[in-house]
Amino acid sequence: MPTTPVPGDRTPRRVLQVGPLKPSLSETLRSTYDALELPDDQQARTEFLDRFGADVGAVVTSGRTGVDAELMAALPNLGAVVNFGVGYDTTDVDAARERGVGVSNTPDVLTDCVADTAVGLLIDTMRQFSAADRYLRAGHWPVDGNYPLTRQVSNRKVGIIGLGRIGSAIAKRLNAFGCTISYHNRHVVDDSPYEYVGSPVELARRVDVLVIAAAGGSGTAKLVGADVLEALGPDGYLINIARGSVVDEPALVRALTEGRIAGAGLDVFAEEPEVPVELLRLDNVVLLPHVGSGTVETRAAMEALTLRNLEEFLANGRLVTPVVEPAVRV
Ligand code: 8YV
């Protein structure tokens, strides 16, 4: 339950929803926290912020929308951005830090489902199950015969970019498939049983499949560019369940349409929900509409953790799973 403000306590406590959220979460914010909702329309937004901006103590948003520096500046008493999702690259964490605004995300609870998605996508891309399903449904089997042969998944060399929680969970799964795992990361991961490789290009050169599991944001923008795809080569596959921004998307489209890599499995794109049209006609590409964490169980756990963060912030000024600690406010 929301905290009842102490009489005389003038700390702004309004909760603001920024961007669309899971309907049940949105409903709880409205019914339990009397949350405001930021209008989409620019004119309405300006008027709304003039009227309510100073009352807002906490924002609840998702990785899809986030809070940029401009919006943060219009919320002078903001104490926390509570993010539904593990990725928070749409929120300006530097601006948050400068302003003493805490930021939380929802780690751990989605790791298994996102890792499952990565492995499912990898298998579908290499074995072309989705394309084979389309072949069968279109009536080709009795007419044109067996579906063409595809590529083996087990026992392949897999490189993972970003060996955090999700990258490690993907590695664990693929290890059970007999795959040899190596990785590139900002730093060597202590006690990792997998081989560290110093650059994405070198990693791509050594493996059959490159899986992107790195966080988004300016630090990883276009980390996988034309040079990495060139190194992956015509027999190599790319899987991305992280953020579209990590890949130079036009370079990827060129590599796929010109057959300079073997295929790709993509759950994320640079300008979601837009997907490059060139990819839609390729059977060596599997395209998913950002469903990595999208199960009933995981989304419920993400929702619960989001609400725990909000509640803890409103009650005690702290966050349960902070990526930026809120400054203590008196
Ligand atoms: C969600 C995600 O789809 O957690 C993330 O970073 O990308 C996904 O789990 C997203 O956060 C919902 O907006």
Side-chain angles (χ1 to χ4, degrees):
M1 292 299 290
T3 333
T4 313
V6 181
D9 175 4
R10 300 189 62 78
T11 312
R13 297 259 174 197
R14 292 305 297 265
V15 173
L16 174 67
Q17 173 177 339
V18 175
L21 290 173
K22 188 170 181 275
S24 55
L25 175 56
S26 205
E27 174 54 24
T28 304
L29 294 179
R30 200 188 54 72
S31 60
T32 309
Y33 294 91
D34 192 24
L36 301 161
E37 209 171 319
L38 187 68
D40 284 336
D41 173 75
Q42 203 50 53
Q43 174 67 26
R45 181 178 283 218
T46 307
E47 284 165 18
F48 174 93
L49 290 170
D50 285 347
R51 181 156 174 221
F52 297 111
D55 298 342
V56 173
V59 160
V60 182
T61 187
S62 79
R64 208 169 131 184
T65 317
V67 180
D68 60 18
E70 188 187 342
L71 178 55
M72 239 177 261
L75 304 171
N77 294 305
L78 183 65
V81 175
V82 175
N83 186 59
F84 176 90
V86 71
Y88 48 88
D89 46 309
T90 49
T91 287
D92 191 327
V93 283
D94 293 331
R97 230 174 249 117
E98 265 168 41
R99 292 179 168 275
V101 172
V103 180
S104 65
N105 66 345
T106 60
D108 298 318
V109 292
L110 47 61
T111 299
D112 283 337
C113 273
V114 178
D116 293 351
T117 302
V119 174
L121 196 48
L122 190 159
I123 296 175
D124 194 354
T125 305
M126 295 184 75
R127 298 296 310 274
Q128 299 195 353
F129 290 144
S130 289
D133 176 279
R134 290 194 293 273
Y135 182 88
L136 180 152
R137 288 172 200 247
H140 288 302
W141 193 12
V143 180
D144 300 320
N146 290 340
Y147 189 80
L149 301 183
T150 59
R151 303 307 295 261
Q152 175 172 330
V153 170
S154 291
N155 309 318
R156 303 309 290 264
K157 284 183 273 177
V158 178
I160 299 181
I161 297 189
L163 200 72
R165 296 176 179 91
I166 294 172
S168 300
I170 295 168
K172 183 177 163 192
R173 284 158 174 72
L174 292 174
N175 200 32
F177 280 73
C179 293
T180 306
I181 313 289
S182 49
Y183 72 98
H184 173 73
N185 202 52
R186 269 172 304 180
H187 50 80
V188 177
V189 177
D190 289 339
D191 304 328
S192 170
Y194 312 118
E195 188 189 1
Y196 174 79
V197 179
S199 77
V201 170
E202 187 49 34
L203 183 65
R205 190 168 292 132
R206 292 185 192 196
V207 299
D208 303 309
V209 188
L210 193 62
V211 180
I212 305 176
S218 54
T220 57
K222 297 196 169 106
L223 190 64
V224 174
D227 52 346
V228 176
L229 298 170
E230 206 61 49
L232 193 55
D235 294 324
Y237 290 85
L238 181 77
I239 306 298
N240 189 4
I241 49 77
R243 285 291 181 264
S245 60
V246 184
V247 177
D248 179 343
E249 198 168 78
L252 175 62
V253 170
R254 279 197 302 279
L256 285 164
T257 50
E258 294 167 13
R260 285 186 286 103
I261 66 168
L266 308 172
D267 185 43
V268 288
F269 302 87
E271 304 289 344
E272 294 176 9
E274 302 303 322
V275 175
V277 284
E278 299 93 321
L279 300 182
L280 302 180
R281 57 186 166 79
L282 300 179
D283 271 344
N284 58 340
V285 176
V286 179
L287 305 167
L288 296 179
H290 200 147
V291 295
S293 66
T295 64
V296 171
E297 296 82 357
T298 284
R299 289 287 167 86
M302 290 164 69
E303 178 174 353
L305 185 50
T306 300
L307 288 170
R308 276 179 58 213
N309 271 294
L310 178 65
E311 186 53 33
E312 181 67 17
F313 177 72
L314 294 178
N316 304 314
R318 288 190 296 266
L319 291 164
V320 182
T321 46
V323 289
V324 177
E325 292 282 358
V328 180
R329 283 168 184 266
V330 283

